[in-house]
Amino acid sequence: MLTWDSFYLFATGTILLSAAGAAASLWNRRKAALWLTVAAILVMGWFIAGLWTFLSRPPLRTMGETRLWYSFFLIIAGLLTYHRWHFRWILSFTTIMAAVFCIINILKPELHDKSMMPALQSAWFVPHVTVYMFSYSILGCACLLGIAGLVTKKKDLLPSADNLVYIGIGLLSLGMLSGAVWAKQAWGDFWSWDPKETWAAATWAGYLLYIHLRLTHRSTRRILCHWLLIICFLLLQMCWYGISYLPSAKASEHVYTEIS
Amino acid sequence: MHQGEESQSFKLEGFLMAFVALMIVLQILLGNFPLSFVAFPVNVAIAMLWVAAIVILHREMNDNPWIRLLSSGRCSLILLTLFVTGCLLIGLFVQSPDYRDDGFIGQLGLHSFTTSWIFVGILFLLMTNLLLVILRHPAGMKRHRIRFLLNHVGLWIVLLASFFGSADTQKVRVMALRDQPTMESFDIGGKIKPLEIPITFKTFKVDYFDNGMPSYYEATLLLGKEMKRVEINHPCRMTWDTDLYLVNYDMEKGDETPYCVLEVVTQPWRYVTMLGIVMMACGAVLLFIYGRDKTKKDDADVG
């Protein structure tokens, strides 16, 4: 039976395999990079499946559990981006980001008990949180492209970032819409401007701004577009965990992710 | 950008700045937007007049520079920026109608910004821009047009239902004592509101985790003469536009709780909202499948 106690073993295995994949991609060993990263994903996937079985509920409730999925999806998003657009550096960055979140989880695991408050026991819970986590990972890659574009002044990164943003905002929209339907079922309102919802709306509208700016100014405003990719990702961080530090968010319906 | 286009965009920015300034003045003079004023049937009348006006303006005055400006991509960009700014203000300031602040921030309505003239005004312009953009969208590649319509019309419908339907949404709470029929409910201000059907609380059941935390709870109720079950995450239907939610109970007494607190939510516009949500969800899937819009030339700058 897999418990949280064995996480450090699986995390180490995942990060080592992912780092080996990243190194292979830097040395242009494409096949090795793909297979090593797939192995990393399988190791982390095995742990998640085991924890899910042990807890008898999806491990999506606490902040630590969402970080677990984030690391998992980040490596998948990195692999898809690498496979599709052949950026040799992307796997290194996604590995570092995934490692940071794994290390936070090892140092500050938070309590991962079996209970889950009744309002979270809904068929909407798993799709709502997993599509969000997956979109966060995809948009994390888009943010890396934004930073790379500003640092290297390369012009050709934006079309790839566009693709990531379209996929990311598609998933973000599905997360937001499923959340609205679930909120109606659980609390009676589709939308109540809860702090989490407010920052989600700001993030979503920010990415819409990026998409429309790119549609109307395809060859200009490139620096602004790169900055927007970074700013929107920062808004997304606020939505995910930053709101816990805001006095305006103390009464959020979503603070259950903080309570163990 | 050509000189003519530049003066047009100054016109647009000037108009939007004047509009926001007007909303700020209205907010300071009148306080928050009087939502209750736009309850049924006034909301439906205003919505129909507004849509009719936009459609007529689009058809009859298609070349009017103001209509072109209001439906432009530049207008969408500015309004989206204003919307994001509005969301940030809502996110950064404590939102509560009871929050006491007599200073300038309080006067601007920043502690209940979602119902301020400023935010309502921005949303109204955003919806107007969105409707004009939908009406003016050229027939292009079929699959991209379908995706465009699903995303934009879906969003417009969701905004319409939440904007005009907000005043028709009512929430009241019922304190149901076991085996005692009640026809009384209370609104958020504590005012008594009569119920259409008597509610009688009959039985209660709670399941627990090993650590004693409740994992599931449900109540059976008599609504008029009909026995119904209401559980967490599963409200029960009272009428076509009204649902009953289980909110609270005496946690110490568990199954033997002498009361349960119910919330009666009336939301006649929810079907409209659901239609918009389904359209947007289909549009989101197509965003995922088709990826970025490749119908425009990559080097064209149409702003």
Side-chain angles (χ1 to χ4, degrees):
Chain A
M1 195 65 87
L2 278 179
T3 68
W4 196 247
D5 294 336
S6 47
F7 173 68
Y8 74 98
L9 286 174
F10 282 84
T12 310
T14 304
I15 297 304
L16 284 177
L17 283 166
S18 184
S25 76
L26 287 175
W27 278 303
N28 226 354
R29 299 274 188 272
R30 224 173 114 65
K31 258 195 177 158
L34 289 174
W35 284 114
L36 284 163
T37 313
V38 166
I41 292 165
L42 288 176
V43 172
M44 184 66 98
W46 187 343
F47 177 75
I48 290 174
L51 192 65
W52 191 326
T53 316
F54 169 71
L55 292 171
S56 328
R57 65 163 174 83
L60 288 161
R61 179 186 151 225
T62 63
M63 197 53 91
E65 287 167 0
T66 59
R67 282 196 291 257
L68 179 67
W69 284 89
Y70 188 68
S71 310
F72 178 61
F73 284 137
L74 203 54
I75 301 171
I76 296 178
L79 181 68
L80 293 175
T81 312
Y82 175 67
H83 182 62
R84 173 70 181 74
W85 293 292
H86 305 178
F87 297 130
R88 282 161 55 188
W89 50 272
I90 193 84
L91 290 179
S92 312
F93 281 91
T94 48
T95 301
I96 292 167
M97 280 171 80
V100 167
F101 284 95
C102 284
I103 291 167
I104 295 173
N105 262 6
I106 290 169
L107 297 178
K108 196 190 168 203
E110 302 181 68
L111 196 68
H112 293 71
D113 66 36
K114 282 187 163 194
S115 52
M116 183 159 81
M117 65 183 276
L120 295 187
Q121 292 174 38
S122 160
W124 290 106
F125 184 53
V126 175
H128 173 68
V129 185
T130 45
V131 292
Y132 258 133
M133 282 301 126
F134 200 21
S135 77
Y136 287 7
S137 321
I138 299 269
L139 295 169
C141 290
C143 174
L144 289 175
L145 289 184
I147 296 169
L150 282 179
V151 174
T152 62
K153 308 265 187 270
K154 266 190 180 173
K155 285 182 179 176
D156 54 355
L157 295 179
L158 278 178
S160 311
D162 290 349
N163 284 303
L164 290 173
V165 170
Y166 271 78
I167 295 169
I169 203 168
L171 291 167
L172 207 61
S173 306
L174 288 174
M176 211 158 77
L177 296 169
S178 60
V181 176
W182 180 12
K184 173 70 187 153
Q185 208 173 48
W187 292 286
D189 274 320
F190 288 104
W191 194 266
S192 54
W193 291 105
D194 172 273
K196 193 100 168 176
E197 295 170 1
T198 303
W199 287 94
T203 309
W204 188 72
Y207 281 111
L208 286 188
L209 189 60
Y210 170 86
I211 287 179
H212 288 83
L213 192 65
R214 289 286 293 145
L215 284 173
T216 52
H217 297 74
R218 196 109 294 165
S219 59
T220 57
R221 312 273 171 144
R222 287 178 182 272
I223 293 183
L224 177 62
C225 287
H226 284 110
W227 275 110
L228 257 181
L229 287 171
I230 300 165
I231 292 167
C232 289
F233 192 64
L234 292 176
L235 289 176
L236 201 149
Q237 304 308 302
M238 281 302 294
C239 173
W240 182 12
Y241 52 81
I243 57 161
S244 327
Y245 305 103
L246 287 178
S248 55
K250 292 290 176 228
S252 172
E253 294 277 11
H254 287 84
V255 288
Y256 51 76
T257 49
E258 300 300 301
I259 308 162
S260 296
Chain B
M1 193 182 277
H2 300 297
Q3 210 176 3
E5 283 175 20
E6 214 166 89
S7 74
Q8 288 292 313
S9 70
F10 280 137
K11 235 187 201 177
L12 173 70
E13 274 137 35
F15 165 74
L16 291 175
M17 274 168 69
F19 180 83
V20 172
L22 174 69
M23 291 298 120
I24 292 174
V25 172
L26 284 174
Q27 178 66 33
I28 292 171
L29 292 179
L30 305 173
N32 277 32
F33 186 79
L35 262 187
S36 53
F37 170 73
V38 283
F40 184 81
V42 178
N43 52 2
V44 175
I46 294 177
M48 284 168 75
L49 279 174
W50 167 67
V51 172
I54 300 286
V55 172
I56 291 168
L57 283 174
H58 160 70
R59 285 204 176 156
E60 305 298 324
M61 299 168 71
N62 202 10
D63 286 332
N64 181 296
W66 284 100
I67 299 297
R68 289 174 77 94
L69 277 181
L70 268 179
S71 59
S72 64
R74 191 177 184 84
C75 184
S76 310
L77 292 176
I78 298 173
L79 288 171
L80 273 171
T81 309
L82 288 173
F83 179 76
V84 173
T85 313
C87 290
L88 293 183
L89 292 174
I90 298 166
L92 291 171
F93 289 92
V94 175
Q95 298 296 303
S96 163
D98 304 326
Y99 194 88
R100 214 172 148 68
D101 184 351
D102 298 327
F104 189 59
I105 285 178
Q107 276 190 322
L108 281 178
L110 291 180
H111 293 297
S112 46
F113 200 62
T114 53
T115 54
S116 70
W117 280 90
I118 308 165
F119 196 64
V120 169
I122 292 169
L123 269 182
F124 185 72
L125 273 190
L126 194 63
M127 284 163 61
T128 306
N129 168 258
L130 191 53
L131 182 54
L132 278 167
V133 168
I134 293 165
L135 291 170
R136 290 170 73 95
H137 190 253
M141 275 170 69
K142 202 177 166 191
R143 64 180 200 178
H144 280 281
R145 183 159 170 77
I146 289 171
R147 183 175 80 175
F148 171 88
L149 288 175
L150 283 171
N151 279 319
H152 290 78
V153 178
L155 176 61
W156 185 77
I157 289 174
V158 167
L159 289 176
L160 179 92
S162 28
F163 190 91
F164 287 102
S166 162
D168 291 336
T169 300
Q170 284 182 358
K171 278 185 168 189
V172 290
R173 286 203 170 182
V174 179
M175 178 73 163
L177 300 175
R178 209 180 274 255
D179 295 322
Q180 293 180 31
T182 180
M183 288 202 73
E184 263 184 5
S185 69
F186 299 87
D187 69 8
I188 196 161
K191 255 195 202 164
I192 297 178
K193 302 260 174 181
L195 289 168
E196 284 179 24
I197 313 168
I199 297 176
T200 315
F201 165 39
K202 299 303 281 183
T203 64
F204 202 84
K205 182 174 172 282
V206 197
D207 290 337
Y208 296 95
F209 289 112
D210 296 339
N211 63 6
M213 203 179 133
S215 62
Y216 168 86
Y217 46 91
E218 63 165 50
T220 49
L221 308 164
L222 206 54
L223 298 183
K225 287 175 182 168
E226 203 178 343
M227 194 65 103
K228 293 246 183 173
R229 191 174 63 180
V230 57
E231 31 180 314
I232 188 80
N233 271 331
H234 294 282
C236 79
R237 176 72 50 96
M238 276 182 88
T239 57
W240 70 275
D241 62 348
T242 304
D243 285 329
L244 196 65
Y245 291 78
L246 181 57
V247 176
N248 211 346
Y249 65 98
D250 187 335
M251 288 176 82
E252 280 182 11
K253 298 203 170 133
D255 286 358
E256 300 306 315
T257 176
Y259 70 86
C260 68
V261 181
L262 304 162
E263 190 158 67
V264 182
V265 181
T266 305
Q267 199 171 35
W269 289 71
R270 65 165 168 202
Y271 301 101
V272 184
T273 310
M274 272 312 295
L275 172 69
I277 286 178
V278 170
M279 288 177 77
M280 280 180 80
C282 297
V285 172
L286 293 185
L287 273 178
F288 192 83
I289 295 173
Y290 297 155
R292 81 186 169 114
D293 201 336
K294 297 184 190 86
T295 52
K296 293 197 171 131
K297 276 205 293 188
D298 268 19
D299 290 328
D301 183 356
V302 292

